[in-house]
Amino acid sequence: MKNVSDVELRLLRIFVTVADAGGFAAAQAALNLGASTVSTQMAQLERRLGARLCERGRSGFWLTEKGRTVYDAARRLLDAVEAFRGEASTLDARLAGDLRVGFLDATAGDPGAPVIPALRRFGGRDHRVHLHLTVDTPPMLEKLLLDGRLDLAVGSFPRRVPGLTYTPLYPERHRFYCGAGHRLFDAPDTLDLLAEIRRERLITRGYWNLSDLTRLGLSEASAAATVDAMEAQAILVLSGGYLGFLPVHYAAGWVAEGRLRALLPEILQYDAPFEIVTRKGVTVSRAAQMLIQDLQASRTHPPATPPA
């Protein structure tokens, strides 16, 4: 591997994540990759290097002597790449370079979110930054950060991935909704309604690890549908055949039109903590630092406490 390409940098990032996690299985969640994919890409890196990097079996996972050497070198290389990107952007007195930011879907309409005001602040700065905005699920945003393909992400993340830093930003209020045409749409908000809800087709978000249903005291078997995007959740609820949580700001327009109704809003509601996420141990670029400052300066609500 005399010349290191983008492909090899990606393979080295995967290897470092596997080593940090202590094995292939433990790294799957951090990488958002299946076991076979992790194994295939590790084998590809070993072929390119012509060396066995790790051993795994019943006795556990460990790096070979050459694997430890490659790990230390890869760490220095990846840190140097990130440092170069950050320093290169400061050569001009103005902010410059590429800034890659990730967001969750269905957040633009939240009047309490600092994202739009922060981007307005950032746009008012004297800069030549080329923005790349990505909208994806929490696990995919985390993977893109670990791969070095995002500088920062803003969203609600139900878990903590090794190698990432999470900084509280603001809360997003969610309530439990029913669509017009559903048999519970006109039901009174009494405690008996909760028992009726448990009999209905319910939606869970895959990345929330069933916490949506746990709030109702239900098990995994109670989910009738699983989605990874808020738009998909809204479609199912609006169909009148399913019940599920939605952000209050996102549902507001349909509520005003009489197409959605929040059930037991005083009981079935929670605040999703939104956070700024960056790679741990890597100095972010000056442009990313400025956007983080603008996000924090633009928030109007204190950050929510992450759920236990």
Side-chain angles (χ1 to χ4, degrees):
M1 193 185 290
K2 295 181 179 179
N3 298 313
V4 181
S5 67
D6 288 344
V7 171
E8 282 142 356
L9 281 175
R10 179 174 57 81
L11 293 175
L12 288 171
R13 286 192 177 98
I14 291 173
F15 169 57
V16 167
T17 302
V18 169
D20 287 342
F24 288 28
Q28 288 177 52
L31 294 168
N32 196 31
L33 295 174
S36 62
T37 302
V38 175
S39 180
T40 298
Q41 297 196 345
M42 284 291 294
Q44 184 180 351
L45 178 61
E46 289 178 328
R47 285 195 301 272
R48 285 172 180 257
L49 292 171
R52 183 78 171 174
L53 301 179
C54 61
E55 300 289 349
R56 55 181 178 140
R58 292 185 179 180
S59 58
F61 169 91
W62 67 96
L63 296 180
T64 63
E65 183 177 349
K66 289 184 178 179
R68 288 193 296 272
T69 300
V70 172
Y71 174 84
D72 292 338
R75 266 288 178 203
R76 292 193 298 271
L77 173 62
L78 295 174
D79 290 345
V81 169
E82 294 301 324
F84 173 79
R85 289 182 56 247
E87 291 172 12
S89 68
T90 66
L91 295 177
D92 194 314
R94 289 178 294 173
L95 295 176
D98 292 308
L99 178 56
R100 300 160 300 177
V101 187
F103 297 103
L104 296 188
D105 71 319
T107 58
D110 187 351
V115 172
I116 302 300
L119 288 172
R120 186 180 300 119
R121 282 174 182 259
F122 188 81
R125 295 179 180 274
D126 182 17
H127 72 75
R128 294 190 294 109
V129 174
H130 188 101
L131 274 172
H132 302 262
L133 300 187
T134 296
V135 175
D136 220 314
T137 63
M140 183 54 68
L141 293 178
E142 290 167 324
K143 179 182 183 300
L144 293 173
L145 283 164
L146 289 169
D147 287 348
R149 288 184 283 169
L150 285 181
D151 298 298
L152 65 103
V154 176
S156 189
F157 300 85
R159 57 182 181 164
R160 291 294 178 267
V161 172
L164 297 179
T165 297
Y166 299 79
T167 303
L169 185 59
Y170 75 99
E172 181 186 65
R173 176 62 54 90
H174 289 236
R175 286 181 177 153
F176 193 73
Y177 288 92
C178 174
H182 193 282
R183 73 178 188 88
L184 298 182
F185 191 77
D186 295 314
D189 276 331
T190 65
L191 289 179
D192 292 337
L193 181 56
L194 191 57
E196 293 296 317
I197 287 171
R198 291 187 175 120
R199 298 189 183 98
E200 296 302 311
R201 293 190 180 95
L202 306 178
I203 313 165
T204 186
R205 274 164 273 175
Y207 53 81
W208 274 125
N209 299 321
L210 302 171
S211 63
D212 299 62
L213 299 185
T214 302
R215 297 176 195 280
L216 299 174
L218 298 170
S219 66
E220 180 177 356
S222 303
T226 301
V227 300
D228 284 318
M230 201 63 68
E231 181 78 3
Q233 182 121 330
I235 288 171
L236 289 175
V237 176
L238 285 164
S239 75
Y242 297 82
L243 305 177
F245 285 98
L246 291 169
V248 171
H249 71 86
Y250 187 56
W254 292 308
V255 171
E257 294 172 0
R259 298 177 62 191
L260 287 181
R261 173 199 166 197
L263 301 178
L264 296 172
E266 298 305 315
I267 299 175
L268 300 180
Q269 68 172 353
Y270 66 94
D271 286 335
F274 270 59
E275 298 163 301
I276 301 170
V277 189
T278 55
R279 279 185 64 203
K280 188 177 293 183
V282 174
T283 302
V284 298
S285 68
R286 184 162 159 255
Q289 292 173 12
M290 292 300 101
L291 180 56
I292 290 171
Q293 288 181 17
D294 290 338
L295 284 164
Q296 293 172 330
S298 299
R299 63 189 180 193
T300 57
H301 298 291
T305 302

